[in-house]
Amino acid sequence: NVSHGLMGLKTHSKIMLVVRKEETGLRSYCNVATGNFNAKTAALYTDLALFTCRDDICKDVADLFNALFGYSRKRQYQRLLVAPVTMLDTFLSLIRKEAENARRGLPAHIAVQINGLSCPHITEALYDASSAGVRIDLIVRGICAIRPGIPGRSQTIRVYSWIGQFLQHRRIFYFADGGRGKYLIGSADWRTRNLQERVEVVTPVDDKKLRKKLWRALNYFINDTKSTWEMGSDGRYYKLKAKTIRSSPSWTGSASSPSSITSRAGVTLGPDGDETLDALPPLKIDASPGLEGSVSETSELSGVGESSSTSSAGGGKPRTGYQREVEIGGRRIMVTRILAGCVPYRMAEDGSLEVLLITDTVSGSIGAHTPSTQEANAAKKAMASAITWGLPKGGVVEGEEAPAAAKREVEEEAGVTGTVQWSLGWYIAGRNRDKALHLYAFAVERNMEWAEEYLRDRCWFGIDEALEMVSAADCKSPAYVKIALKKCKATMRSAPKHLSVPPIGSPVEPDNS
């Protein structure tokens, strides 16, 4: 039988259902994809497909085929998002849930890769979510009706477009969901024609290994510096092409107190890649590239069809992707990104200091995320030399203050929450030593839903045990980890009493309240 679809709707979904007679009876298999089975486009497009025998998804696909052949008018599905009946409302509900989680202090992050974004309902919901503090990363191949980086409106939104050998045709959707993580793939873009005028299908992805692959796929484009273009708040796309830097004298001023935790780019770092605690100026990350009191800069950005330069004075339009010059150990270097991170710590029952280290995503999960028992932790420590232990860190979003970014990163990457305490200084990070990292001491108060549970592992170490491990000759951890741990240990003794945290004897357990 051949059906040409439903009157008035283009059938754009990419689904297949196979019912197979096996020894145990009939078994259904289905395929839900982002692209067609087309020999020509398969050689040019990048797409994804989920092939599964899960009963709930197969039943939904069978019900949709019945509707397409006119045998059913079903409008509710167990797992699938189907346009034009449930998809738009479900996406709006997911976006609004992220906004509510952000207001409640829970992990809130939206990351999508699509071909176009022009639906007014979606754009308005994304603006509202950004105003609530949700981090939003949009990888959009074509038209995009969102303007990122507008203060009070879209400060936490970033829009990327990737230009390379293949056409990026896949659609991936990620919602932090309070730390649980929700992943979906399908045929629909966030355009009115997809959500209201076509038959489209999006399916959730529950398998841990597949979710990990989707997360890495999204992060590849967000972190790529070769072929990714980023939209500025003026609506133009820019790819960094810094040519000239004019420097003014470094910042000088009164020392800040240990409790001062705001930050500004362009500071003087010590000979070890960090600075002493009492030399930290009161820093603040501004939306404008020209920052008062920092090293001034002039960097040229190449846009689509024209070049644009940022001025060293404030007041210009916010730009993303520009480079910045910082002074480290008496020499000036260029950095491509400002990062913020933490040394998470707690006090054991015996009063000793413990720090929480995490693995990188290459080492991945080494303990299968079993409960943090003494036996499980001992097994992880025994493998310390074979993996890379580090600290939670990440990029500071334009308009975001460094302490807020540091807390967000420790919640996402380490799955714990608490309070940012005092500065541990500035460091040089990155494989190419082209990023400036500001670290803080972070008092852990409780565990929470872990957004990156399937990407990495974590383990508590005594401070001396951690220092011994990262000082070993075969240690793969970045050099700044050792320096930051030493500083955390040293400054803990002189920290103000009101900054101490209550003893936490047992490993941090999930908060189920």
Side-chain angles (χ1 to χ4, degrees):
N1 293 332
V2 177
S3 170
H4 295 284
L6 303 176
M7 183 68 69
L9 295 174
K10 175 181 178 179
T11 303
H12 191 250
S13 57
K14 292 86 168 68
I15 55 175
M16 181 191 340
L17 178 67
V18 176
V19 181
R20 186 167 180 260
K21 185 176 181 180
E22 299 181 350
E23 292 182 358
T24 56
L26 295 179
R27 184 75 178 271
S28 294
Y29 299 85
C30 70
N31 189 82
V32 182
T34 66
N36 300 318
F37 289 104
N38 183 298
K40 291 184 178 179
T41 59
L44 300 173
Y45 293 6
T46 64
D47 277 298
L48 296 168
L50 175 69
F51 187 76
T52 181
C53 60
R54 286 189 54 142
D55 290 338
D56 50 359
I57 295 180
C58 288
K59 186 177 185 304
D60 278 352
V61 172
D63 288 339
L64 180 55
F65 272 119
N66 285 331
L68 292 174
F69 278 98
Y71 301 138
S72 167
R73 293 186 178 181
K74 188 175 181 66
R75 299 182 62 85
Q76 298 297 325
Y77 298 86
Q78 295 181 56
R79 301 298 309 281
L80 296 184
L81 279 61
V82 179
V85 290
T86 63
M87 187 176 294
L88 176 58
D89 289 341
T90 303
F91 274 134
L92 291 175
S93 176
L94 290 170
I95 295 171
R96 289 163 182 159
K97 186 176 180 181
E98 293 301 309
E100 181 59 30
N101 286 339
R103 295 186 185 99
R104 294 169 56 193
L106 298 175
H109 184 194
I110 298 171
V112 302
Q113 181 182 0
I114 50 180
N115 289 260
L117 196 169
S118 59
C119 175
H121 303 291
I122 295 290
T123 56
E124 191 63 32
L126 290 174
Y127 280 134
D128 291 342
S130 178
S131 299
V134 180
R135 174 184 173 183
I136 303 173
D137 294 299
L138 305 173
I139 306 162
V140 187
R141 179 178 65 85
I143 184 173
C144 180
I146 287 281
R147 285 286 184 92
I150 301 174
R153 182 69 166 161
S154 58
Q155 287 179 217
T156 62
I157 298 178
R158 287 198 164 185
V159 178
Y160 308 91
S161 186
W162 191 87
I163 299 177
Q165 181 180 359
F166 300 103
L167 185 145
Q168 298 299 317
H169 191 250
R170 56 195 180 188
R171 288 90 169 181
I172 308 173
F173 306 89
Y174 167 76
F175 300 87
D177 194 25
R180 290 175 290 273
K182 185 181 291 291
Y183 294 81
L184 307 102
I185 65 168
S187 62
D189 296 310
W190 277 352
R191 304 184 68 175
T192 301
R193 69 183 189 183
N194 297 96
L195 300 173
Q196 296 180 309
E197 300 170 6
R198 295 180 175 182
V199 177
E200 304 274 12
V201 172
V202 169
T203 180
V205 178
D206 299 324
D207 182 84
K208 294 180 180 179
K209 291 183 179 179
L210 296 182
R211 288 157 63 98
K212 186 174 181 179
K213 287 184 177 181
L214 292 177
W215 178 260
R216 286 181 173 174
L218 290 170
N219 274 273
Y220 173 82
F221 294 104
I222 293 173
N223 296 314
D224 174 63
T225 58
K226 295 181 179 180
S227 302
T228 298
W229 295 67
E230 186 173 350
M231 184 191 290
S233 57
D234 58 357
R236 294 189 177 95
Y237 284 88
Y238 294 93
K239 189 176 182 183
L240 178 65
K241 190 177 180 181
K243 290 186 177 179
T244 58
I245 299 293
R246 292 197 303 270
S247 302
S248 65
S250 302
W251 185 94
T252 56
S254 59
S256 61
S257 66
S259 59
S260 176
I261 55 174
T262 55
S263 41
R264 175 188 303 123
V267 297
T268 301
L269 284 71
D272 291 323
D274 67 316
E275 38 126 16
T276 57
L277 191 63
D278 58 1
L280 178 69
L283 290 135
K284 182 180 180 182
I285 298 291
D286 278 332
S288 174
L291 301 175
E292 180 184 356
S294 67
V295 175
S296 63
E297 61 191 346
T298 301
S299 32
E300 187 171 312
L301 302 166
S302 61
V304 179
E306 66 174 297
S307 293
S308 172
S309 62
T310 61
S311 67
S312 58
K317 290 184 179 180
R319 299 289 197 215
T320 55
Y322 49 83
Q323 287 195 346
R324 172 159 290 135
E325 187 178 57
V326 296
E327 185 174 327
I328 304 174
R331 61 188 179 91
R332 297 182 182 277
I333 69 167
M334 293 294 300
V335 296
T336 60
R337 202 174 182 194
I338 303 297
L339 309 178
C342 293
V343 176
Y345 74 89
R346 69 180 183 186
M347 308 306 293
E349 285 184 335
D350 60 2
S352 61
L353 174 65
E354 294 184 336
V355 292
L356 182 65
L357 300 182
I358 61 174
T359 65
D360 60 4
T361 55
V362 177
S363 299
S365 171
I366 61 171
H369 301 287
T370 54
S372 297
T373 61
Q374 292 183 351
E375 293 78 8
N377 282 342
K380 295 174 186 179
K381 293 173 183 178
M383 300 175 63
S385 62
I387 59 177
T388 302
W389 290 99
L391 300 169
K393 69 182 189 313
V396 178
V397 177
E398 189 174 2
E400 182 182 34
E401 296 213 351
K407 182 176 182 180
R408 169 173 55 77
E409 291 295 335
V410 76
E411 290 176 344
E412 291 179 1
E413 296 189 353
V416 294
T417 189
T419 307
V420 176
Q421 301 289 7
W422 60 90
S423 169
L424 296 174
W426 286 88
Y427 305 81
I428 289 301
R431 293 179 181 176
N432 299 321
R433 294 180 61 80
D434 59 351
K435 298 177 178 64
L437 169 62
H438 195 177
L439 288 175
Y440 299 93
F442 186 85
V444 174
E445 296 170 1
R446 64 179 176 85
N447 203 351
M448 61 189 301
E449 294 290 347
W450 191 3
E452 299 190 5
E453 179 179 3
Y454 304 112
L455 298 178
R456 59 178 84 245
D457 217 319
R458 61 187 178 187
C459 185
W460 285 100
F461 295 88
I463 184 64
D464 293 326
E465 181 183 23
L467 282 169
E468 180 181 359
M469 181 182 67
V470 300
S471 300
D474 58 352
C475 176
K476 301 178 181 180
S477 300
Y480 67 80
V481 175
K482 175 182 175 182
I483 303 170
L485 292 178
K486 284 184 176 180
K487 179 168 287 189
C488 184
K489 179 180 179 181
T491 55
M492 183 67 66
R493 299 173 186 149
S494 58
K497 292 182 179 179
H498 70 275
L499 293 180
S500 62
V501 294
I504 306 177
S506 59
V508 181
E509 297 299 333
D511 178 39
N512 297 318
S513 59

